[in-house]
């Protein structure tokens, strides 16, 4: 194991440990990292000595802050297509994680956003801590939740998933469990003992039982107390009506949310709402990933992704010039265009 590698692999007892190792970049995923994780899972699936896989992040700040946004920005500006190839392999990895034949334990400690959700929340044992901040914040950069995020958020209770998809807000441990993005809360100071015990266990069937011995009740979250106005406002059919309901609710928190939405990419908001609603009817994760791939490819060639990354990550002026500048300017035809088939460039996880 070379400690300079962006993905560290080591077997301890009967556990394959996968560690994302770019702590200075909050373990942001690169194409090479996605490939390396995929190769590791292929070997682990066929290795009788491996009872389970545990994925975590190097450093103290989090598991993974998402994909390498700067690389995507530079790729889009230059008119290249490397990001599309990255998403193709990344989404296939997300599907593999969901179908992995052995326990896949995700340590969702600290920041877990975007692609970090993709390599963790599709696992079958998902652990959050008091430090966890889980989010799909794509609308802030003119993009749309991907890596199976719309599949997960569409399954959240009521309209909580729609709220999180549109706002991109980060949530803590209790809310992640409530929304179905995580399973168990384990205090961060017990993670080392938990992984040590997992390594000593030779039985995959006992993985969840071991986790349960360390799990406890998470500190109270925030979303449950706001279910009333969230479910009412986000049940609307359009982004415009959602914003109107938030403003007219008479609640300060709802009005603040409306103001927040009005600062995000109008195109991303409308496409995100359509993506979550369509995901509810698609059923399988694979079908949703196929849809997300179409949407990502269309967004990649649009104006708002480059502009959103510029404003938030590159220049950091926080004043994106969206086009169109307001939700009323985003036509139904423009939204529909994001979902059109890609011909022979389809991701193709679901056979036609």
């Amino acid at each position: 194991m070379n400690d300079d590698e962006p993905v560290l692999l080591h077997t301890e007892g009967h556990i394959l440990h996968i560690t994302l190792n770019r702590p200075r970049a909050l373990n942001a995923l690169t194409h090479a990292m996605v490939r390396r994780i995929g190769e590791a899972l292929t070997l682990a699936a066929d290795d009788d000595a491996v009872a389970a896989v545990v994925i975590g992040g190097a450093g103290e700040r989090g598991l993974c802050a998402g994909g390498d946004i700067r690389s995507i920005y530079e790729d889009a500006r230059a008119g290249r297509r490397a990001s599309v190839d990255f998403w193709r392999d990344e989404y296939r990895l997300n599907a593999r994680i969901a179908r992995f034949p052995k326990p896949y334990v995700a340590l969702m400690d600290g920041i877990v956003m975007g692609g970090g959700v993709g390599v963790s929340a599709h696992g079958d044992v998902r652990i959050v801590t008091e430090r966890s901040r889980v989010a799909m914040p794509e609308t802030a950069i003119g993009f749309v939740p991907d890596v199976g995020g719309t599949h997960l958020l569409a399954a959240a209770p009521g309209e909580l998933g729609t709220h999180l998809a549109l706002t991109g807000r980060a949530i803590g441990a209790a809310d992640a469990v409530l929304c179905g993005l995580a399973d168990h809360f384990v205090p961060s100071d017990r993670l080392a003992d938990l992984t040590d015990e997992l390594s000593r266990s030779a039985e995959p069937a006992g993985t969840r039982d071991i986790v349960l011995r360390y799990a406890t009740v998470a500190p109270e979250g925030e979303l449950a107390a706001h279910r009333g106005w969230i479910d009412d406002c986000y049940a609307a059919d359009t982004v415009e009506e959602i914003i109107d309901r938030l403003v007219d609710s008479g609640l300060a928190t709802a009005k603040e949310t409306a103001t927040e939405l009005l600062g995000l990419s109008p195109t991303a908001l409308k496409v995100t709402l359509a993506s979550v609603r369509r995901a509810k009817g698609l059923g399988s994760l694979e079908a949703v990933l196929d849809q997300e791939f179409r949407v990502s490819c269309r967004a990649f060639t649009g104006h708002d992704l480059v502009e959103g990354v510029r404003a938030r990550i590159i220049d950091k002026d926080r004043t994106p010039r969206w086009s169109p500048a307001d939700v009323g300017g985003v036509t139904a035809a423009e939204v529909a265009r994001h979902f059109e088939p890609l011909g022979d460039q389809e991701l193709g996880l679901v056979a036609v």
Side-chain angles (χ1 to χ4, degrees):
M1 181 176 66
N2 184 346
D3 287 346
D4 293 330
E5 292 293 327
V7 176
L8 304 180
L9 305 174
H10 79 279
T11 302
E12 185 175 346
H14 299 278
I15 300 294
L16 171 63
H17 292 269
I18 300 175
T19 303
L20 307 184
N21 188 41
R22 296 182 69 214
R24 292 180 182 174
L26 271 171
N27 300 319
L29 291 172
T30 65
H31 200 164
M33 292 170 72
V34 166
R35 290 194 183 112
R36 184 63 169 146
I37 296 168
E39 292 166 357
L41 293 183
T42 296
L43 294 174
D46 296 331
D47 188 346
D48 292 339
V50 174
V53 169
V54 174
I55 188 167
E60 298 295 325
R61 298 170 65 193
L63 170 66
C64 175
D68 192 332
I69 299 299
R70 285 181 178 269
S71 294
I72 294 171
Y73 169 83
E74 292 166 0
D75 193 35
R77 288 194 68 198
R80 297 189 295 263
R81 301 282 290 176
S83 297
V84 173
D85 295 334
F86 165 64
W87 288 325
R88 187 182 298 278
D89 286 343
E90 183 183 27
Y91 299 175
R92 286 173 173 167
L93 175 64
N94 302 145
R96 288 191 63 193
I97 289 169
R99 309 296 179 224
F100 192 66
K102 298 176 182 180
Y104 183 98
V105 181
L107 305 180
M108 301 170 69
D109 184 30
I111 292 174
V112 184
M113 297 183 178
V117 173
V119 297
S120 60
H122 298 301
D124 50 1
V125 184
R126 304 163 302 172
I127 297 168
V128 282
T129 75
E130 76 283 356
R131 303 187 298 200
S132 296
R133 301 299 293 166
V134 183
M136 296 297 297
E138 286 76 11
T139 54
I141 59 167
F143 198 48
V144 178
D146 64 339
V147 298
T150 59
H151 175 76
L152 295 164
L153 294 173
E159 295 295 333
L160 293 179
T162 310
H163 171 63
L164 296 178
L166 293 181
T167 62
R169 285 185 183 172
I171 55 176
D175 289 333
V177 173
L178 171 64
C179 292
L181 301 175
D183 303 301
H184 307 288
F185 172 78
V186 175
S188 58
D189 61 5
R190 302 202 72 196
L191 289 180
D193 290 340
L194 167 60
T195 55
D196 284 346
E197 186 167 347
L198 286 172
S199 298
R200 294 194 298 271
S201 174
E203 297 297 327
T207 299
R208 192 175 297 275
D209 290 337
I210 293 171
V211 172
L212 287 173
R213 289 203 291 273
Y214 287 83
T216 185
V217 178
E220 186 176 359
E222 300 176 3
L223 289 179
H226 297 292
R227 276 290 301 276
W229 65 262
I230 288 175
D231 286 353
D232 177 62
C233 295
Y234 287 93
D237 292 331
T238 66
V239 173
E240 291 94 329
E241 188 179 352
I242 288 171
I243 292 173
D244 287 344
R245 289 190 185 188
L246 290 168
V247 171
D248 295 339
S249 68
L251 299 170
T253 51
K255 291 181 179 180
E256 290 167 3
T257 300
T259 300
E260 182 180 346
L261 291 176
L262 289 170
L264 302 175
S265 163
T267 299
L269 288 176
K270 283 203 167 182
V271 176
T272 294
L273 181 62
S275 295
V276 174
R277 297 280 163 83
R278 287 171 178 242
K280 289 183 178 180
L282 288 175
S284 73
L285 171 61
E286 286 80 2
V288 175
L289 286 166
D290 279 347
Q291 172 176 277
E292 290 178 349
F293 186 71
R294 297 181 195 115
V295 170
S296 296
C297 289
R298 304 295 187 208
F300 181 70
T301 59
H303 168 274
D304 279 9
L305 175 58
V306 169
E307 175 59 12
V309 176
R310 180 206 65 77
R312 186 166 288 262
I313 307 296
I314 307 300
D315 296 338
K316 300 181 180 179
D317 58 28
R318 303 267 174 167
T319 57
R321 296 179 288 274
W322 306 122
S323 181
D326 58 73
V327 291
V330 183
T331 66
E334 174 60 17
V335 174
R337 184 182 71 84
H338 284 73
F339 298 91
E340 292 175 356
L342 298 171
D344 61 3
Q345 297 302 306
E346 288 281 340
L347 182 62
L349 289 176
V350 176
V352 177

